[in-house]
Protein backbone atom coordinates (compact mmCIF):
# COMPACT_ATOMS: atom_id res chain seq x y z
CA UNK A 1 0.00 0.00 0.00
CA UNK A 2 1.40 3.37 -1.01
CA UNK A 3 2.06 5.96 1.68
CA UNK A 4 1.06 9.63 1.49
CA UNK A 5 2.08 12.28 3.99
CA UNK A 6 -0.59 14.94 4.54
CA UNK A 7 0.53 18.27 6.02
CA UNK A 8 -1.87 20.58 7.89
CA UNK A 9 -1.45 23.27 10.49
CA UNK A 10 -4.17 25.91 10.33
CA UNK A 11 -7.93 25.95 10.82
CA UNK A 12 -9.02 25.87 7.15
CA UNK A 13 -6.69 22.96 6.43
CA UNK A 14 -8.25 20.78 9.11
CA UNK A 15 -11.63 21.38 7.48
CA UNK A 16 -10.33 20.44 4.01
CA UNK A 17 -8.46 17.41 5.37
CA UNK A 18 -11.54 15.70 6.79
CA UNK A 19 -13.39 14.71 3.57
CA UNK A 20 -10.21 13.99 1.61
CA UNK A 21 -8.78 11.81 4.37
CA UNK A 22 -11.96 9.72 4.47
CA UNK A 23 -11.54 8.91 0.77
CA UNK A 24 -7.75 8.63 0.80
CA UNK A 25 -7.64 6.03 3.58
CA UNK A 26 -9.80 3.63 1.60
CA UNK A 27 -6.72 2.66 -0.42
CA UNK A 28 -3.65 4.54 0.85
CA UNK A 29 -1.70 4.69 4.10
CA UNK A 30 -1.95 8.28 5.25
CA UNK A 31 0.52 9.89 7.65
CA UNK A 32 -0.78 13.19 9.04
CA UNK A 33 1.61 15.92 10.13
CA UNK A 34 0.17 18.76 12.21
CA UNK A 35 2.71 21.59 12.12
CA UNK A 36 1.02 23.40 15.00
CA UNK A 37 0.71 26.68 13.11
CA UNK A 38 -2.59 27.23 14.96
CA UNK A 39 -1.92 26.00 18.46
CA UNK A 40 -4.92 27.22 20.45
CA UNK A 41 -7.29 24.29 21.13
CA UNK A 42 -10.40 26.13 19.90
CA UNK A 43 -8.54 27.18 16.76
CA UNK A 44 -7.12 23.76 15.94
CA UNK A 45 -7.28 20.65 18.13
CA UNK A 46 -11.06 20.62 18.47
CA UNK A 47 -11.42 19.96 14.74
CA UNK A 48 -9.83 16.55 15.02
CA UNK A 49 -12.59 15.55 17.44
CA UNK A 50 -15.53 17.26 15.72
CA UNK A 51 -14.67 16.14 12.19
CA UNK A 52 -13.56 12.64 13.17
CA UNK A 53 -10.07 13.16 11.76
CA UNK A 54 -7.51 10.56 12.85
CA UNK A 55 -5.06 11.80 15.46
CA UNK A 56 -1.97 13.26 13.75
CA UNK A 57 0.97 10.93 13.55
CA UNK A 58 3.30 13.86 14.12
CA UNK A 59 2.70 17.09 16.06
CA UNK A 60 5.53 19.48 15.26
CA UNK A 61 4.42 22.19 17.71
CA UNK A 62 5.92 25.04 15.72
CA UNK A 63 3.50 27.73 16.91
CA UNK A 64 3.70 31.40 15.99
CA UNK A 65 6.68 33.47 14.87
CA UNK A 66 7.89 35.54 11.96
CA UNK A 67 7.17 34.14 8.50
CA UNK A 68 10.80 33.20 7.96
CA UNK A 69 11.33 31.55 11.34
CA UNK A 70 8.00 29.73 11.29
CA UNK A 71 8.45 28.41 7.74
CA UNK A 72 12.08 27.48 8.40
CA UNK A 73 11.25 25.56 11.57
CA UNK A 74 8.50 23.68 9.75
CA UNK A 75 10.73 22.90 6.79
CA UNK A 76 13.43 21.35 8.96
CA UNK A 77 10.97 19.25 10.98
CA UNK A 78 8.94 18.11 7.96
CA UNK A 79 12.13 17.05 6.22
CA UNK A 80 12.99 14.84 9.19
CA UNK A 81 9.60 13.15 8.99
CA UNK A 82 9.98 12.56 5.25
CA UNK A 83 13.38 10.92 5.86
CA UNK A 84 11.78 8.69 8.51
CA UNK A 85 8.59 7.75 6.66
CA UNK A 86 9.87 7.60 3.06
CA UNK A 87 6.45 8.45 1.55
CA UNK A 88 5.37 7.96 -2.05
CA UNK A 89 3.90 11.48 -2.13
CA UNK A 90 3.18 14.57 -0.03
CA UNK A 91 -0.24 16.27 0.03
CA UNK A 92 -0.64 19.93 1.03
CA UNK A 93 -3.65 22.23 1.32
CA UNK A 94 -4.29 25.89 0.63
CA UNK A 95 -1.84 28.73 1.11
CA UNK A 96 -0.37 28.86 4.61
CA UNK A 97 3.24 28.71 5.77
CA UNK A 98 2.60 25.02 6.50
CA UNK A 99 1.71 24.58 2.82
CA UNK A 100 4.90 26.25 1.63
CA UNK A 101 7.13 24.39 4.07
CA UNK A 102 5.66 21.06 2.99
CA UNK A 103 5.99 21.97 -0.67
CA UNK A 104 9.65 22.97 -0.32
CA UNK A 105 10.53 19.87 1.69
CA UNK A 106 8.89 17.51 -0.82
CA UNK A 107 10.24 19.20 -3.94
CA UNK A 108 13.83 19.37 -2.67
CA UNK A 109 13.72 15.69 -1.77
CA UNK A 110 12.13 14.80 -5.13
CA UNK A 111 8.93 13.45 -3.56
CA UNK A 112 5.78 13.90 -5.71
CA UNK A 113 3.76 16.85 -4.41
CA UNK A 114 -0.04 17.17 -4.61
CA UNK A 115 -1.65 20.58 -3.96
CA UNK A 116 -5.32 20.81 -2.99
CA UNK A 117 -6.85 24.22 -3.75
CA UNK A 118 -4.34 25.06 -6.46
CA UNK A 119 -4.57 27.94 -8.91
CA UNK A 120 -6.08 30.58 -6.63
CA UNK A 121 -4.79 34.09 -7.15
CA UNK A 122 -5.54 37.45 -5.58
CA UNK A 123 -2.74 39.08 -7.61
CA UNK A 124 -1.58 40.88 -4.48
CA UNK A 125 2.00 39.86 -3.67
CA UNK A 126 1.83 41.83 -0.41
CA UNK A 127 -0.30 39.00 0.95
CA UNK A 128 1.97 36.22 2.26
CA UNK A 129 -0.70 33.71 1.26
CA UNK A 130 -0.35 34.77 -2.38
CA UNK A 131 3.39 34.10 -2.34
CA UNK A 132 2.76 30.70 -0.74
CA UNK A 133 0.18 29.80 -3.40
CA UNK A 134 2.35 30.72 -6.35
CA UNK A 135 5.46 28.96 -5.10
CA UNK A 136 3.57 25.82 -4.13
CA UNK A 137 1.80 25.58 -7.48
CA UNK A 138 5.05 25.87 -9.39
CA UNK A 139 6.65 22.87 -7.65
CA UNK A 140 3.54 20.65 -7.54
CA UNK A 141 3.11 17.47 -9.57
CA UNK A 142 -0.68 17.37 -9.29
CA UNK A 143 -2.71 20.57 -8.95
CA UNK A 144 -6.27 20.10 -7.72
CA UNK A 145 -8.22 23.23 -8.66
CA UNK A 146 -11.62 24.19 -7.23
CA UNK A 147 -12.79 26.00 -10.40
CA UNK A 148 -12.06 26.54 -14.08
CA UNK A 149 -11.04 30.07 -13.13
CA UNK A 150 -8.18 28.56 -11.13
CA UNK A 151 -7.20 26.43 -14.13
CA UNK A 152 -7.00 29.59 -16.25
CA UNK A 153 -4.85 31.32 -13.64
CA UNK A 154 -2.33 28.49 -13.89
CA UNK A 155 -2.34 28.62 -17.70
CA UNK A 156 -1.34 32.29 -17.52
CA UNK A 157 1.75 31.17 -15.58
CA UNK A 158 2.62 28.40 -18.02
CA UNK A 159 1.25 25.52 -15.94
CA UNK A 160 -0.79 23.47 -18.40
CA UNK A 161 -0.20 19.87 -17.29
CA UNK A 162 -1.64 17.95 -14.35
CA UNK A 163 -3.98 20.79 -13.33
CA UNK A 164 -7.45 19.34 -12.79
CA UNK A 165 -10.71 21.08 -11.85
CA UNK A 166 -12.16 18.75 -9.21
CA UNK A 167 -14.42 21.16 -7.34
CA UNK A 168 -13.97 22.48 -3.84
CA UNK A 169 -13.31 20.15 -0.91
CA UNK A 170 -14.75 22.79 1.44
CA UNK A 171 -18.10 22.27 -0.23
CA UNK A 172 -17.71 18.54 0.44
CA UNK A 173 -17.08 19.39 4.10
CA UNK A 174 -20.03 21.77 4.40
CA UNK A 175 -22.47 19.29 2.84
CA UNK A 176 -21.26 16.54 5.20
CA UNK A 177 -21.14 18.62 8.38
CA UNK A 178 -24.04 21.07 8.31
CA UNK A 179 -26.56 18.44 9.44
CA UNK A 180 -24.23 17.38 12.26
CA UNK A 181 -23.92 21.03 13.31
CA UNK A 182 -27.69 21.49 13.39
CA UNK A 183 -28.13 18.32 15.46
CA UNK A 184 -25.47 19.18 18.03
CA UNK A 185 -25.62 22.95 18.45
CA UNK A 186 -28.24 25.65 18.92
CA UNK A 187 -28.37 29.40 18.32
CA UNK A 188 -29.72 29.65 21.85
CA UNK A 189 -26.15 29.50 23.12
CA UNK A 190 -25.55 32.89 21.49
CA UNK A 191 -28.93 34.42 22.42
CA UNK A 192 -29.87 35.13 18.80
CA UNK A 193 -32.49 33.90 16.33
CA UNK A 194 -32.21 32.96 12.68
CA UNK A 195 -31.82 36.01 10.42
CA UNK A 196 -31.52 38.47 13.30
CA UNK A 197 -27.75 39.00 13.44
CA UNK A 198 -24.63 39.69 11.41
CA UNK A 199 -21.61 37.42 11.80
CA UNK A 200 -18.19 39.10 11.65
CA UNK A 201 -14.65 37.72 11.59
CA UNK A 202 -11.54 39.93 11.34
CA UNK A 203 -8.01 38.57 11.48
CA UNK A 204 -5.89 39.33 8.38
CA UNK A 205 -2.78 41.45 8.81
CA UNK A 206 -3.85 43.90 6.10
CA UNK A 207 -6.69 44.93 8.43
CA UNK A 208 -5.33 44.32 11.92
CA UNK A 209 -1.87 45.84 11.32
CA UNK A 210 -3.25 49.02 9.73
CA UNK A 211 -4.65 51.23 12.49
CA UNK A 212 -6.74 53.32 10.11
CA UNK A 213 -8.40 50.25 8.59
CA UNK A 214 -8.90 48.62 11.97
CA UNK A 215 -10.55 51.75 13.36
CA UNK A 216 -12.75 52.15 10.28
CA UNK A 217 -13.91 48.53 10.48
CA UNK A 218 -14.94 48.61 14.11
CA UNK A 219 -16.46 52.06 13.82
CA UNK A 220 -18.65 50.73 10.98
CA UNK A 221 -19.60 47.64 12.97
CA UNK A 222 -20.68 49.77 15.91
CA UNK A 223 -22.92 51.85 13.59
CA UNK A 224 -24.95 48.85 12.43
CA UNK A 225 -28.31 48.45 14.10
CA UNK A 226 -28.23 44.66 14.09
CA UNK A 227 -26.53 42.45 16.64
CA UNK A 228 -22.98 41.62 15.55
CA UNK A 229 -21.72 38.18 16.62
CA UNK A 230 -17.92 38.52 16.71
CA UNK A 231 -15.74 35.47 17.42
CA UNK A 232 -12.72 37.61 18.26
CA UNK A 233 -9.40 36.25 17.08
CA UNK A 234 -6.81 36.50 19.91
CA UNK A 235 -4.40 38.45 17.71
CA UNK A 236 -7.12 40.93 16.67
CA UNK A 237 -8.07 41.48 20.30
CA UNK A 238 -4.45 42.12 21.25
CA UNK A 239 -3.94 44.64 18.44
CA UNK A 240 -7.19 46.46 19.22
CA UNK A 241 -5.96 46.96 22.78
CA UNK A 242 -2.43 47.94 21.72
CA UNK A 243 -3.81 50.49 19.23
CA UNK A 244 -6.17 51.98 21.80
CA UNK A 245 -9.24 50.92 19.80
CA UNK A 246 -10.88 48.36 22.07
CA UNK A 247 -13.22 51.08 23.35
CA UNK A 248 -15.03 50.88 19.99
CA UNK A 249 -16.29 47.46 21.08
CA UNK A 250 -16.76 48.26 24.76
CA UNK A 251 -18.88 51.36 24.03
CA UNK A 252 -21.04 49.57 21.45
CA UNK A 253 -24.40 48.07 22.37
CA UNK A 254 -24.60 45.80 19.33
CA UNK A 255 -21.23 43.99 19.21
CA UNK A 256 -21.31 40.68 21.06
CA UNK A 257 -17.84 39.20 21.53
CA UNK A 258 -17.61 35.42 21.77
CA UNK A 259 -14.64 33.08 22.06
CA UNK A 260 -13.35 31.56 18.80
CA UNK A 261 -15.87 28.84 17.96
CA UNK A 262 -15.54 25.31 16.65
CA UNK A 263 -16.02 24.60 12.96
CA UNK A 264 -19.49 23.11 13.46
CA UNK A 265 -20.63 26.10 15.54
CA UNK A 266 -19.25 28.42 12.86
CA UNK A 267 -21.24 26.60 10.18
CA UNK A 268 -24.40 27.02 12.25
CA UNK A 269 -23.74 30.74 12.78
CA UNK A 270 -23.04 31.24 9.06
CA UNK A 271 -26.12 29.30 7.97
CA UNK A 272 -28.47 31.45 10.07
CA UNK A 273 -26.93 34.93 9.73
CA UNK A 274 -28.62 37.74 7.81
CA UNK A 275 -25.17 38.80 6.50
CA UNK A 276 -21.51 38.02 7.03
CA UNK A 277 -18.62 40.50 7.29
CA UNK A 278 -15.18 38.92 7.03
CA UNK A 279 -11.64 39.01 5.70
CA UNK A 280 -11.35 35.22 5.68
CA UNK A 281 -11.09 33.31 2.42
CA UNK A 282 -12.88 30.25 3.75
CA UNK A 283 -15.72 32.19 5.34
CA UNK A 284 -16.39 33.94 2.01
CA UNK A 285 -17.09 30.58 0.40
CA UNK A 286 -19.06 29.22 3.31
CA UNK A 287 -21.25 32.33 3.17
CA UNK A 288 -21.92 31.56 -0.49
CA UNK A 289 -22.72 27.92 0.29
CA UNK A 290 -25.14 29.15 3.00
CA UNK A 291 -26.73 31.63 0.56
CA UNK A 292 -25.93 34.52 2.90
CA UNK A 293 -24.64 37.87 1.56
CA UNK A 294 -20.98 38.46 2.33
CA UNK A 295 -19.00 41.70 2.69
CA UNK A 296 -15.27 41.04 2.37
CA UNK A 297 -12.95 43.62 3.93
CA UNK A 298 -10.19 43.22 1.38
CA UNK A 299 -9.12 44.89 -1.85
CA UNK A 300 -8.85 41.56 -3.69
CA UNK A 301 -10.16 38.05 -3.24
CA UNK A 302 -9.04 34.68 -4.53
CA UNK A 303 -12.73 33.71 -4.75
CA UNK A 304 -13.58 36.07 -7.59
CA UNK A 305 -16.57 33.97 -8.69
CA UNK A 306 -18.54 34.90 -5.57
CA UNK A 307 -18.06 38.58 -6.39
CA UNK A 308 -18.94 38.12 -10.06
CA UNK A 309 -22.32 36.55 -9.22
CA UNK A 310 -23.12 39.24 -6.65
CA UNK A 311 -23.15 37.22 -3.42
CA UNK A 312 -19.90 38.73 -2.20
CA UNK A 313 -18.81 42.39 -2.17
CA UNK A 314 -15.27 43.67 -1.70
CA UNK A 315 -15.24 46.61 0.69
CA UNK A 316 -12.51 49.13 1.51
CA UNK A 317 -13.53 50.15 5.04
CA UNK A 318 -11.81 53.53 4.77
CA UNK A 319 -13.26 54.75 1.47
CA UNK A 320 -16.62 52.94 1.57
CA UNK A 321 -19.41 53.07 4.14
CA UNK A 322 -19.70 49.47 5.27
CA UNK A 323 -22.76 50.13 7.41
CA UNK A 324 -24.67 51.64 4.48
CA UNK A 325 -23.59 48.88 2.10
CA UNK A 326 -24.88 46.18 4.45
CA UNK A 327 -28.17 48.00 4.99
CA UNK A 328 -28.80 48.57 1.26
CA UNK A 329 -27.60 45.24 -0.19
CA UNK A 330 -30.03 43.54 -2.57
CA UNK A 331 -29.22 39.92 -3.35
CA UNK A 332 -29.37 38.34 -6.82
CA UNK A 333 -31.07 35.05 -7.57
CA UNK A 334 -28.95 32.13 -6.37
CA UNK A 335 -27.88 30.00 -9.32
CA UNK A 336 -26.09 26.66 -9.44
CA UNK A 337 -23.18 26.11 -7.09
CA UNK A 338 -19.92 27.47 -8.49
CA UNK A 339 -17.70 24.97 -6.71
CA UNK A 340 -18.59 21.51 -7.94
CA UNK A 341 -20.97 18.79 -6.91
CA UNK A 342 -19.73 17.99 -3.42
CA UNK A 343 -17.58 15.04 -4.58
CA UNK A 344 -14.23 16.78 -4.99
CA UNK A 345 -12.53 14.46 -2.49
CA UNK A 346 -13.30 11.28 -4.41
CA UNK A 347 -12.19 12.97 -7.64
CA UNK A 348 -8.88 13.89 -6.01
CA UNK A 349 -8.24 10.28 -5.02
CA UNK A 350 -9.14 9.11 -8.54
CA UNK A 351 -6.53 11.47 -9.98
CA UNK A 352 -3.93 10.28 -7.45
CA UNK A 353 -4.66 6.70 -8.56
CA UNK A 354 -4.18 7.75 -12.16
CA UNK A 355 -0.89 9.49 -11.32
CA UNK A 356 0.59 6.41 -9.68
CA UNK A 357 -0.71 4.07 -12.38
CA UNK A 358 0.93 6.16 -15.07
CA UNK A 359 4.24 6.13 -13.20
CA UNK A 360 4.11 2.34 -12.93
CA UNK A 361 3.39 1.99 -16.65
CA UNK A 362 6.46 4.00 -17.66
Amino acid sequence: MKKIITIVGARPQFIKLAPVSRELRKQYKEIIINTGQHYDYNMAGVFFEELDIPKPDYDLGVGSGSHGKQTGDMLAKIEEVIFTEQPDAVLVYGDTNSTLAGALAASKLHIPLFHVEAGLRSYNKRMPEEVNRVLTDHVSDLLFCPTEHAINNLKKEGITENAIAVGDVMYDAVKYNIKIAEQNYSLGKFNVEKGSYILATIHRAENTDDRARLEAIFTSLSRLSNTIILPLHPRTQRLLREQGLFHLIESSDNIQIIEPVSYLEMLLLEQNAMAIITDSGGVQKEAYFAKVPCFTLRDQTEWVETVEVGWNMLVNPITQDLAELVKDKNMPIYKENLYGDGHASSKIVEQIDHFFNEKEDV
Side-chain angles (χ1 to χ4, degrees), residues 1-279:
M1 180 180 285
K2 292 192 181 296
K3 183 189 294 185
I4 296 177
I5 284 180
T6 293
I7 298 171
V8 291
R11 176 181 178 131
Q13 294 169 329
F14 303 136
I15 297 167
K16 297 163 193 169
L17 166 68
V20 177
S21 184
R22 277 192 292 271
E23 294 296 324
L24 198 62
R25 286 173 179 251
K26 292 177 181 178
Q27 57 202 87
Y28 294 96
K29 179 175 176 58
E30 183 185 32
I31 304 295
I32 297 176
I33 298 175
N34 176 17
T35 66
Q37 184 171 339
H38 280 175
Y39 49 92
D40 177 83
Y41 180 77
N42 284 329
M43 295 294 284
V46 69
F47 294 114
F48 288 96
E49 297 175 10
E50 280 198 334
L51 306 185
D52 194 26
I53 301 169
K55 184 179 178 181
D57 299 275
Y58 295 87
D59 278 297
L60 304 186
V62 172
S64 61
S66 68
H67 286 286
K69 183 180 186 306
Q70 189 182 63
T71 306
D73 288 348
M74 290 176 187
L75 176 57
K77 292 182 178 183
I78 290 169
E79 188 176 66
E80 289 178 10
V81 176
I82 291 177
F83 280 133
T84 300
E85 293 290 346
Q86 294 293 304
D88 296 285
V90 169
L91 179 67
V92 296
Y93 292 83
D95 55 18
T96 68
N97 289 341
S98 300
T99 310
L100 179 60
L104 291 173
S107 63
K108 287 181 177 291
L109 294 174
H110 309 294
I111 307 295
L113 177 67
F114 307 150
H115 185 199
V116 176
E117 211 172 70
L120 301 186
R121 297 292 183 269
S122 67
Y123 296 101
N124 178 2
K125 291 286 182 66
R126 292 178 61 85
M127 292 174 61
E129 296 88 353
E130 181 77 355
V131 176
N132 293 345
R133 291 178 199 127
V134 173
L135 295 177
T136 300
D137 282 342
H138 279 265
V139 295
S140 293
D141 296 275
L142 281 180
L143 300 101
F144 299 119
C145 301
T147 64
E148 287 294 335
H149 198 284
I151 294 281
N152 291 332
N153 287 339
L154 293 174
K155 287 179 180 177
K156 292 175 187 175
E157 296 172 18
I159 301 174
T160 56
E161 295 184 0
N162 295 324
I164 308 107
V166 294
D168 196 321
V169 296
M170 284 190 70
Y171 185 44
D172 294 20
V174 169
K175 284 187 66 178
Y176 185 88
N177 288 298
I178 187 59
K179 292 180 181 178
I180 299 173
E182 291 171 342
Q183 290 169 358
N184 289 279
Y185 295 99
S186 166
L187 290 177
K189 174 181 177 179
F190 308 103
N191 298 311
V192 291
E193 296 179 353
K194 180 178 176 64
S196 68
Y197 62 92
I198 295 169
L199 177 66
T201 72
I202 313 296
H203 77 280
R204 283 191 183 266
E206 63 195 89
N207 288 319
T208 59
D209 294 0
D210 184 324
R211 190 184 189 281
R213 286 181 73 96
L214 196 60
E215 183 174 19
I217 288 167
F218 281 92
T219 298
S220 292
L221 292 181
S222 67
R223 289 181 51 228
L224 286 160
S225 58
N226 303 88
T227 297
I228 310 289
I229 300 294
L230 177 68
L232 191 57
H233 194 288
R235 183 172 175 276
T236 306
Q237 181 165 184
R238 174 176 61 81
L239 289 167
L240 280 166
R241 293 186 184 280
E242 288 178 1
Q243 298 282 6
L245 297 174
F246 199 76
H247 68 91
L248 293 172
I249 294 177
E250 292 177 311
S251 63
S252 173
D253 295 329
N254 68 322
I255 300 177
Q256 179 180 326
I257 295 177
I258 61 174
E259 291 294 317
V261 294
S262 71
Y263 170 59
L264 292 180
E265 288 177 299
M266 191 65 175
L267 279 186
L268 187 73
L269 285 169
E270 290 167 347
Q271 192 77 20
N272 292 284
M274 64 172 290
I276 293 173
I277 298 169
T278 190
D279 56 12

